[in-house]
Amino acid sequence: MRETVRGAARATGQLAVAAGLALVSYLFIGLLLFTAVVTLLVVGAGVLPETVLLLRRIAGFKRRRVAAWSGREIPEAYVPLTGKLAERVRAGVSDPCTWRDLRWLAAHFLYGWLLLYVSLVVWAFGLLVDGVWCGLLGRRAVVLPLVARFADLDASWSGALLAPPPSARLRDRIEQLTATRAGAVAAHGAELRRIERDLHDGAQARLVSLSMRIGLAKRAYDRDPAAARKLMDDAQDQAEEALAELRHVVRGIHPPILTDRGLTGAVRALAAGSGLDVSVREDGVADGPRAPAAVEAAAYFVVAEALTNAAKHSGADRATVELARTQGGLRVSVRDEGRGGAQGSGGSGLLGMRRRVAALDGTTEVSSPVGGPTVIEVELPCVW
């Protein structure tokens, strides 16, 4: 009975806040009428964007209350109110989310008060009925739990009314895809420049040196066979070094070890050569079908970049890599016990990591407080 009363009291508090917000809605209706009048008179057009912003704050407060009660987030998809006055007025009036907020405001003014009044009646009736039903008969409460149902109803109605329309969600999705495409193009350009630099400074320079040594050996072959043999030995060394450089470039494009040993084996090889004491844990990744090649490559490079950063900058001597198969894709987590302080948006390595993951519609979270630890978590969607 005590837990039932506590739950009903918590639900009543939620409904009381909703009723208070309904009172704010009533006051806001007066502000809307004032805004409409002064806007029609033109001289008060500047009030309209501020009124829309206030409406968004009220709706945002309700979204947070609904999320706190139900655990279900309600996304926002507002058109930004930026630019000149005429542009802000046009954006505020044409935004479909503004009209959905107004519809919620009018409806909430009615059901916000109604649900609180009904819950108070249920309280009076429930204390009597459930007091006898639970206290004397030892049965489960049947009336007071209805108060929580009313709070659920308030959250359900508000969530449905405040949810952005499909057109707004589509607009946000298009903007997100545009940003990730730009990031993917930038990451691709940076990768091409890196490959070009590696080929120019590495393999190409060694091949030029190889060609020169072979030419010198041909000239010295008749008059000084020993010197020619020495030059040919040097040329062979240059050829082997050029091959090693080319293998390094190929591994930077798509590591062959991924194809041969799969993601788990490739990550274990990275861990063995990282210079740190790295433990690798995997949950279902090595079992069943493999992830698409692009997803495996992105996960591999995330681990490689994270371990490289840990070895160079963190001062840590241990790290942990976790690979897990999830219902919607692949989760990668890299943790080091170093000094922390890594900036989530700074540094070309982390930026490239974010762009590579975003290009696959994934998410990257970096937690690195000063003093450590640094944790990089990546979610990559895929169909298994």
Side-chain angles (χ1 to χ4, degrees):
M1 180 64 181
R2 182 179 301 176
E3 293 299 325
T4 301
V5 172
R6 288 178 180 174
R10 179 170 171 266
T12 304
Q14 179 77 5
L15 292 172
V17 173
L21 196 58
L23 177 60
V24 174
S25 304
Y26 176 76
L27 299 176
F28 192 82
I29 291 173
L31 177 60
L32 283 177
L33 294 175
F34 170 76
T35 302
V37 171
V38 297
T39 301
L40 290 175
L41 295 176
V42 179
V43 295
V47 179
L48 182 60
E50 300 303 322
T51 304
V52 173
L53 288 175
L54 180 58
L55 175 61
R56 291 180 179 183
R57 293 190 185 98
I58 295 174
F61 175 78
K62 185 60 179 180
R63 286 188 179 92
R64 292 190 294 273
R65 294 294 303 180
V66 170
W69 176 261
S70 65
R72 180 172 57 89
E73 297 288 339
I74 304 175
E76 294 183 355
Y78 294 118
V79 175
L81 300 184
T82 56
K84 297 180 180 180
L85 177 59
E87 295 173 347
R88 287 186 284 130
V89 171
R90 190 182 305 112
V93 173
S94 62
D95 188 358
C97 292
T98 299
W99 299 103
R100 291 183 76 90
D101 288 351
L102 287 173
R103 185 183 66 175
W104 162 78
L105 197 72
H108 187 262
F109 174 70
L110 299 176
Y111 69 77
W113 287 102
L114 178 62
L115 291 176
L116 178 63
Y117 288 151
V118 173
S119 68
L120 294 178
V121 173
V122 170
W123 261 104
F125 185 64
L127 288 176
L128 177 62
V129 173
D130 287 341
V132 175
W133 187 252
C134 299
L136 297 181
L137 302 179
R139 303 292 182 86
R140 181 179 298 179
V142 294
V143 178
L144 287 179
L146 293 176
V147 179
R149 298 287 183 86
F150 294 144
D152 292 337
L153 197 60
D154 170 74
S156 177
W157 286 349
S158 297
L161 292 171
L162 288 173
S167 59
R169 292 197 293 267
L170 179 61
R171 184 189 64 243
D172 276 3
R173 182 61 176 159
I174 291 173
E175 292 177 354
Q176 180 187 9
L177 290 176
T178 301
T180 56
R181 183 185 64 180
V185 171
H188 180 66
E191 190 71 8
L192 287 178
R193 289 190 296 273
R194 182 191 66 80
I195 294 172
E196 180 183 10
R197 184 175 62 253
D198 289 346
L199 289 174
H200 181 273
D201 298 341
Q204 178 177 317
R206 297 189 186 281
L207 289 173
V208 170
S209 177
L210 170 62
S211 177
M212 293 176 61
R213 290 179 184 276
I214 292 176
L216 292 173
K218 288 172 63 178
R219 294 177 189 175
Y221 183 75
D222 293 330
R223 55 185 174 82
D224 192 352
R229 188 177 298 108
K230 177 67 168 60
L231 289 171
M232 292 301 294
D233 291 339
D234 292 342
Q236 184 177 7
D237 293 340
Q238 291 287 337
E240 292 176 354
E241 291 174 358
L243 286 174
E245 291 285 348
L246 288 174
R247 292 192 190 99
H248 175 74
V249 173
V250 169
R251 283 196 297 270
I253 298 173
H254 184 84
I257 193 173
L258 265 179
T259 305
D260 298 337
R261 298 174 56 183
L263 180 60
T264 303
V267 168
R268 293 189 188 279
L270 273 178
S274 67
L276 301 175
D277 180 12
V278 181
S279 61
V280 178
R281 306 170 187 166
E282 68 92 18
D283 182 10
V285 176
D287 304 327
R290 291 177 57 172
V295 173
E296 285 194 340
Y300 176 88
F301 285 115
V302 164
V303 175
E305 184 64 36
L307 292 181
T308 299
N309 289 343
K312 287 184 177 180
H313 308 298
S314 72
D317 55 6
R318 299 190 313 276
T320 302
V321 178
E322 294 184 1
L323 307 172
R325 181 193 297 262
T326 63
Q327 186 174 4
L330 175 67
R331 183 173 66 250
V332 181
S333 175
V334 183
R335 174 190 176 106
D336 70 70
E337 305 297 333
R339 63 176 64 95
Q343 297 298 319
S345 59
S348 59
L350 287 176
L351 180 59
M353 180 191 304
R354 289 180 181 276
R355 284 175 171 173
R356 187 184 289 271
V357 172
L360 298 174
D361 209 18
T363 59
T364 305
E365 294 185 4
V366 179
S367 174
S368 184
V370 177
T374 296
V375 180
I376 299 175
E377 292 188 350
V378 168
E379 294 279 350
L380 291 163
C382 70
V383 177
W384 296 99

